[in-house]
Amino acid sequence: MREFSGMKTKINLMIIMFFLLLAPAAGSTPSARSLEISGAIIQIAAFLLAMCGSLFLASGLWIRGEKGSESWKYLSISMIMFAVWNVIMAFGLMIGSLMAKSGNDTGGVFENLLNIINVLDPVIEVVVFMILLFGMQNIIKMMRTKPWAVFGKEGSDE
Amino acid sequence: MNELFLILLNAAASVVIIVCSVLSLQLLIGISRELKGLEEIDVMWKYFIIMSGLFILLGMTRALGTIGTVIFSDIQPIFESLISVILIIFAVFAVLLSISLEEITE
């Protein structure tokens, strides 16, 4: 418990440091182009970070689902789909930046890819949230009807 | 690709996401009510509730931002930066939750 609060304090400090490091940059007057580039880089980094976090969580939830209620596996699948969404969004941003840089010399390949991404983006998001909703419904149902089975297999000897 | 088709697809997806988010939020409130009195696994459930709340917030922001951008295109940078911040904080709590889940396994 103390380890977690210590770790949480460290993570909070890291987040505060991250924003403090941005403060000097906020005081400067960059050009519009460099602002766009830095904005795109931060967005791509955020998507990749969320992808890593959600994959890490998905593995933990899957293991919990193997040892306890199957409802955790639905949340795990939701996190995996969320990771896929993050990858697609990061990819879409990179393609958008490449298209902006190269103008009309791409031969339509990037445009087609961007169109596919623009269609996949809302579809995957809807799937993520529907699976999340389903998983949470199952968990709460399990908590109300069989609370002992949320973290341990039903029927296992103690 | 037809702009109108993309707008309609995004609008429909946003509506579904908002509905799912509101229902998930109600379920999350239900889960936190069920947890009153459980002391052993407080840390894990605390992270679970925070992370789920962030996830729901992300969905709502994305959905409302998508609809808002269609009406006012100027708000796009604001909602994109909000999404980035929420994603970064979500990643932190996802890792914390995963670590606390492993502790329960042991």
Side-chain angles (χ1 to χ4, degrees), chain A residues 34-91:
Chain A
S34 61
L35 266 176
E36 272 179 34
I37 292 169
S38 55
I41 290 170
I42 289 171
Q43 276 184 276
I44 291 171
F47 283 127
L48 294 176
L49 208 60
M51 178 205 73
C52 295
S54 49
L55 281 175
F56 193 53
L57 181 60
S59 65
L61 286 168
W62 192 268
I63 292 168
R64 185 98 308 273
E66 293 279 312
K67 298 191 177 188
S69 165
E70 296 271 321
S71 315
W72 296 108
K73 286 189 179 175
Y74 293 115
L75 294 183
S76 178
I77 292 168
S78 172
M79 287 299 120
I80 292 168
M81 295 297 295
F82 185 60
V84 168
W85 179 80
N86 278 298
V87 167
I88 286 172
M89 293 303 286
F91 195 53

Side-chain angles (χ1 to χ4, degrees), chain B residues 6-106:
Chain B
L6 281 176
I7 289 169
L8 287 173
L9 181 67
N10 276 301
S14 299
V15 168
V16 173
I17 288 166
I18 288 169
V19 168
C20 287
S21 298
V22 168
L23 292 172
S24 299
L25 193 64
Q26 284 182 338
L27 287 172
L28 198 63
I29 292 166
I31 287 173
S32 49
R33 278 199 194 126
E34 293 291 325
L35 290 170
K36 278 183 187 174
L38 286 174
E39 289 178 9
E40 283 178 19
I41 44 176
D42 258 355
V43 174
M44 178 251 152
W45 283 113
K46 198 167 62 171
Y47 288 147
F48 179 80
I49 288 166
I50 292 171
M51 196 223 66
S52 304
L54 279 170
F55 204 71
I56 291 164
L57 181 65
L58 176 74
M60 295 285 270
T61 307
R62 176 108 174 100
L64 292 170
T66 307
I67 294 170
T69 308
V70 172
I71 305 166
F72 306 106
S73 56
D74 293 339
I75 67 164
Q76 182 145 8
I78 298 168
F79 116 83
E80 279 173 2
S81 53
L82 264 175
I83 296 272
S84 301
V85 169
I86 294 170
L87 281 172
I88 291 168
I89 300 172
F90 166 82
V92 169
F93 280 102
V95 168
L96 285 172
L97 176 59
S98 188
I99 292 167
S100 62
L101 276 169
E102 279 172 28
E103 294 284 316
I104 291 174
T105 306
E106 291 164 14

